[in-house]
């Protein structure tokens, strides 16, 4: 016999409202994350060395990408149900870690001059 959880119909609106809030938070945190990654890319790989002489784009872009990426990663899985939540959470962890790894490598390569 398989156990099926009983879902209270009165709680369905709460779950939907919670998912809507999670979607809004994911977008609000995801856009600054992408902006921070873009600033780091412009500062290191895509831009000219003269465009960010003092490295402020690299510093603040890295800070913005790390904080907003972690907040996005925390909010995004709650926008979905059940197994989709687990899959998106796992993919999100990998995607954010890859992006932050690239940001860290870009910062390291600029700081060491290699």
């Amino acid at each position: 016999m398989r156990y099926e959880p009983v879902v209270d119909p009165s709680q369905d609106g709460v779950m939907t409202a919670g998912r809507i809030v999670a979607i809004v938070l994911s977008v609000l945190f995801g856009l600054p994350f992408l902006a921070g990654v873009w600033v780091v890319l412009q500062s290191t790989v895509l831009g000219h060395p003269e465009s960010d002489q003092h490295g402020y784009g690299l510093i603040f872009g890295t800070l913005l990408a790390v904080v907003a990426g972690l907040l996005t990663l925390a909010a995004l899985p709650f926008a979905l149900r059940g197994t989709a939540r687990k899959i998106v959470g796992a993919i999100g962890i990998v995607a954010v870690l890859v992006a932050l790894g690239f940001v860290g490598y870009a910062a390291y390569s600029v700081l060491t001059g290699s």
Side-chain angles (χ1 to χ4, degrees), residues 12-80:
D12 192 40
V14 173
M15 295 299 286
T16 303
R19 281 195 292 275
I20 290 171
V21 169
I23 290 169
V24 169
L25 287 175
S26 297
V27 170
L28 286 177
F29 295 140
L31 292 176
F33 170 69
L34 293 175
V37 171
W38 179 254
V39 167
V40 170
L41 286 174
Q42 284 288 77
S43 175
T44 58
V45 179
L46 302 176
H48 297 291
E50 300 85 30
S51 64
D52 189 21
Q53 292 178 358
H54 302 290
Y56 292 130
L58 179 65
I59 294 167
F60 293 117
T62 302
L63 181 65
L64 181 65
V66 168
V67 172
L70 293 176
L71 290 173
T72 303
L73 183 61
L76 184 61
F78 293 106
L80 304 170

Side-chain angles (χ1 to χ4, degrees), residues 67-109:
V67 172
L70 293 176
L71 290 173
T72 303
L73 183 61
L76 184 61
F78 293 106
L80 304 170
R81 294 183 183 170
T83 31
R85 178 180 295 173
K86 293 176 185 176
I87 293 169
V88 167
I91 291 171
I93 287 172
V94 171
V96 168
L97 288 177
V98 166
L100 292 178
F102 181 76
V103 166
Y105 175 74
Y108 174 77
S109 67

Side-chain angles (χ1 to χ4, degrees), residues 1-19:
M1 177 174 219
R2 185 174 177 156
Y3 171 74
E4 294 291 329
V6 178
V7 177
D8 185 11
S10 65
Q11 294 294 325
D12 192 40
V14 173
M15 295 299 286
T16 303
R19 281 195 292 275

